[in-house]
Amino acid sequence: MILRRYRTSDCGEIAKLFYDTVHSVNAADYTEEQLDAWANGKVDLEAWDRSFREHVTVMAVEDRGDAEQIIGFGDMDSAGYLDRLYVHKDHQRQGIASAICDELERTVKAETYVTHASITAKPFFLKRGYRVVKEQQVERRGVLLANFVMEKKICERYSDK
């Protein structure tokens, strides 16, 4: 696995990975109606590309000889909001999400990192030192989905003063 920065040419493959991941990995925690509302297969690629370019966006790729396969991605804004984090359904539990988060947290210097974690992702973030601020219901295409506002406060670093 190689970590690298996002390129505009990644956007279509990321959209497919997002759809496939939501509809397989999250299927145990959400209904089919909720999964369809969350990821209906129609991503505004222009808006996503703009967002990925404005954020720090880290790609996890596998070298396939003559091509790369994207196996995960995550993005964080300059304030420390982790917007998206998805790992390919065939590459779960291999440390990819942790590697992406480590790189995002290394790159974006914030006092607090915040994310809106799915039911499925909540245990992952708890293990990373995030705490639940609140559970909420978000509406997507007229359907309610439960998720959790979670945050991770960073201790002040010691200085040599």
Side-chain angles (χ1 to χ4, degrees), residues 86-145:
Y86 293 91
V87 173
H88 190 284
K89 63 184 177 63
D90 296 335
H91 295 273
Q92 297 287 309
R93 303 200 189 302
Q94 297 175 8
I96 296 165
S98 293
I100 292 169
C101 282
D102 289 346
E103 182 63 19
L104 290 169
E105 290 176 5
R106 240 189 322 273
T107 305
V108 177
K109 303 297 183 200
E111 291 181 20
T112 304
Y113 297 111
V114 176
T115 194
H116 293 184
S118 67
I119 296 167
T120 314
K122 179 183 167 192
F124 168 81
F125 285 107
L126 287 171
K127 287 179 188 169
R128 288 193 61 81
Y130 284 71
R131 69 176 187 86
V132 174
V133 175
K134 69 176 181 176
E135 181 175 355
Q136 63 184 4
Q137 296 288 321
V138 295
E139 185 180 330
R140 297 286 182 268
R141 297 175 183 88
V143 178
L144 293 177
L145 297 95

Side-chain angles (χ1 to χ4, degrees), residues 6-134:
Y6 169 78
R7 301 175 193 139
T8 295
S9 60
D10 295 331
C11 204
E13 190 174 346
I14 287 173
K16 181 175 178 0
L17 185 151
F18 164 72
Y19 178 86
D20 291 346
T21 301
V22 167
H23 282 268
S24 58
V25 174
N26 299 96
D29 297 311
Y30 295 90
T31 67
E32 191 63 36
E33 179 186 35
Q34 290 172 319
L35 297 173
D36 287 338
W38 181 355
N40 69 355
K42 297 173 187 165
V43 170
D44 181 341
L45 293 178
E46 197 171 293
W48 268 36
D49 178 55
R50 184 173 43 258
S51 174
F52 287 135
R53 287 184 286 111
E54 290 170 355
H55 296 173
V56 174
T57 303
V58 175
M59 312 299 299
V61 298
E62 238 181 27
D63 187 358
R64 300 278 176 149
D66 61 342
E68 290 179 340
Q69 179 190 4
I70 296 171
I71 57 175
F73 69 95
D75 66 303
M76 184 179 281
D77 71 14
S78 61
Y81 175 67
L82 177 59
D83 193 357
R84 289 159 285 216
L85 177 65
Y86 293 91
V87 173
H88 190 284
K89 63 184 177 63
D90 296 335
H91 295 273
Q92 297 287 309
R93 303 200 189 302
Q94 297 175 8
I96 296 165
S98 293
I100 292 169
C101 282
D102 289 346
E103 182 63 19
L104 290 169
E105 290 176 5
R106 240 189 322 273
T107 305
V108 177
K109 303 297 183 200
E111 291 181 20
T112 304
Y113 297 111
V114 176
T115 194
H116 293 184
S118 67
I119 296 167
T120 314
K122 179 183 167 192
F124 168 81
F125 285 107
L126 287 171
K127 287 179 188 169
R128 288 193 61 81
Y130 284 71
R131 69 176 187 86
V132 174
V133 175
K134 69 176 181 176

